[in-house]
Amino acid sequence: MKKIWTSCVRCAPLAMALALGACQSPPPAGPAQAAVSSLSPQQVAVLREYGFEQVDEGWELQMAGKLLFDFNADKLAADQRAAVERMARSLFSVGIERLRVEGHTDDLGGDAYNDRLSLRRAQAVAQVLTEAGIPQAHIAVHGYGRSRPLPPSSIQGSRKENRRVAIIVPVS
């Protein structure tokens, strides 16, 4: 009997720790986890289908490689326009209708000029989104000029990658 009692006394701290551990609440969800939980599985599937990636402020689509602009240009090519229209209709069909559109430029030219050019690029994409069904009042448009480069423009060939538009699905 003494042997059993000694074993119980030795195991008691372990049993207590396990019991208390089971009572702990899970850690709070980080911003990225909250972004997933506030969207339906169908919405998340559409976002992933179009290449959106989860970030702290929601879901972001960097249009680099998909929607780049020529030097000093703010017009969409026909194939780019069609791609943005398809994406907008798909987003709208699953109830995603609040977007932020951010225009960017490379590091050539003055800051004031690049700020205006990046805004015109974002407006060009926002116009297509609106024509495809996203309410204009639900689209926030920003031009960041050269202030937020993806790769530094000093890297060979990276200037073109910074002539882009990013689309963000904010999650609140």
Side-chain angles (χ1 to χ4, degrees):
M1 184 70 156
K2 188 174 181 183
K3 217 177 206 186
I4 294 173
W5 176 252
T6 305
S7 295
C8 288
V9 170
R10 285 186 198 155
C11 294
L14 177 61
M16 212 172 205
L18 289 172
L20 288 174
C23 293
Q24 286 184 336
S25 59
Q33 184 60 35
V36 170
S37 62
S38 66
L39 296 173
S40 72
Q42 186 180 19
Q43 290 172 322
V44 171
V46 168
L47 290 171
R48 288 190 172 137
E49 175 184 342
Y50 282 94
F52 281 81
E53 293 182 7
Q54 202 169 354
V55 295
D56 286 342
E57 47 193 286
W59 289 80
E60 182 172 359
L61 177 64
Q62 287 287 343
M63 299 299 282
K66 297 179 183 180
L67 186 59
L68 298 178
F69 290 83
D70 288 331
F71 177 73
N72 201 28
D74 60 7
K75 303 291 184 241
L76 293 168
D79 61 329
Q80 294 171 322
R81 183 179 186 80
V84 172
E85 287 173 348
R86 275 191 309 276
M87 180 192 60
R89 283 193 296 273
S90 292
L91 294 176
F92 192 73
S93 74
V94 294
I96 296 173
E97 55 183 65
R98 291 206 177 274
L99 302 171
R100 191 169 70 239
V101 182
E102 299 177 347
H104 302 274
T105 65
D106 60 26
D107 64 342
L108 298 177
D111 286 341
Y113 179 79
N114 280 332
D115 288 345
R116 289 189 305 271
L117 177 59
S118 65
L119 182 59
R120 288 195 314 268
R121 288 175 175 168
Q123 288 169 332
V125 172
Q127 179 63 35
V128 176
L129 294 168
T130 300
E131 291 169 5
I134 306 288
Q136 184 176 8
H138 294 178
I139 302 172
V141 179
H142 302 283
Y144 290 106
R146 62 182 176 179
S147 67
R148 298 182 177 183
L150 280 180
S153 289
S154 59
I155 297 173
Q156 181 72 12
S158 64
R159 280 195 172 103
K160 184 171 182 156
E161 293 177 42
N162 284 314
R163 298 179 204 136
R164 72 192 191 283
V165 167
I167 298 174
I168 292 99
V169 176
V171 180
S172 49

